[in-house]
Amino acid sequence: HLQQTLYSVQQFDTGLEEHLVWLSTVETNLQRHDEMTSTEGALDQEEDLNRLQKEFRDLQTEIEANQHVFESLNTTGHQVVRGREGEKSASLQKRLEQMNQRWVQLRTKSVGIRSRLETNAEQWVQLLKTLKELIDWATQKQQDIQQQQPIGGDVTSVKQQHEYHQVSPVMMVITDDDDDDDDDDSDD
């Protein structure tokens, strides 16, 4: 029975060391993602954003897959601490506390990165929507202009064409000013 307990403790120690090495690797990867997503302009390119989102999803999947390992080590570790006495028990307790603290920091950093990536993705969606609206507006105006008959004809037609061509640039400026106002509101 003593030999079996010693073997279990050795397995636990090995498992804890392996998990701490894995945790260090993931912390390094998350730190890299944290720095990339925090840098001004780093996600201005849609390809960069998509690449980072994919890498982050893979990292999240790996973290979630190791959640059970973390919980198991934590539970087993506390059982081992209760079974040990003295310095070894205190040392193991300290290692478990450090592992728990690192795990919480890892999860917190992960939430921050996810938030920045989602915010950037939302900004890209809004930009694409605005571009589509501008393209649709320009296409409609082009069709309207093409449908206008050449300037000429009776006086009423000439006046209508003149008014149309005077109003179109003004509408474009008004539409542009409205968009600027929307941007100002979002900064408040």
Side-chain angles (χ1 to χ4, degrees), residues 47-86:
E47 307 85 48
D48 293 339
L49 177 62
N50 290 335
R51 180 183 48 79
L52 281 174
Q53 283 178 317
K54 183 193 178 317
E55 288 175 8
F56 184 71
R57 278 191 304 270
D58 293 346
L59 197 53
Q60 280 296 115
T61 300
E62 184 177 349
I63 291 169
E64 290 168 11
N66 276 280
Q67 177 74 33
H68 76 282
V69 172
F70 166 76
E71 292 168 355
S72 176
L73 284 171
N74 216 5
T75 301
T76 304
H78 284 91
Q79 291 171 353
V80 170
V81 165
R82 282 191 295 267
R84 286 185 176 176
E85 292 183 14

Side-chain angles (χ1 to χ4, degrees), residues 111-172:
V111 167
I113 293 168
R114 180 183 314 128
S115 176
R116 284 191 297 276
L117 287 171
E118 288 173 356
T119 297
N120 241 300
E122 289 169 8
Q123 290 172 349
W124 270 104
V125 167
Q126 183 59 41
L127 176 63
L128 293 174
K129 180 182 172 190
T130 301
L131 286 174
K132 183 184 179 326
E133 289 171 358
L134 287 172
I135 290 169
D136 292 347
W137 180 85
T139 302
Q140 181 61 45
K141 292 303 171 190
Q142 182 180 14
Q143 290 171 354
D144 291 348
I145 290 170
Q146 288 173 345
Q147 289 175 356
Q148 295 290 319
Q149 298 174 357
I151 293 183
D154 61 26
V155 174
T156 305
S157 295
V158 171
K159 283 183 180 180
Q160 285 176 340
Q161 290 173 354
H162 177 72
E163 287 174 13
Y164 176 80
H165 290 287
Q166 292 298 317
V167 171
S168 289
V170 171
M171 289 303 295
M172 189 158 71

Side-chain angles (χ1 to χ4, degrees), residues 16-28 30 63 70 94-110:
L16 181 59
E17 283 304 315
E18 288 173 357
H19 185 70
L20 292 175
V21 168
W22 172 84
L23 193 57
S24 293
T25 302
V26 171
E27 286 170 330
T28 300
L30 267 184
I63 291 169
F70 166 76
K94 185 177 179 180
R95 288 175 67 198
L96 287 172
E97 288 171 3
Q98 289 173 344
M99 179 185 72
N100 284 320
Q101 183 179 15
R102 289 172 66 188
W103 187 259
V104 168
Q105 290 170 343
L106 181 96
R107 301 294 284 191
T108 301
K109 188 174 284 191
S110 176

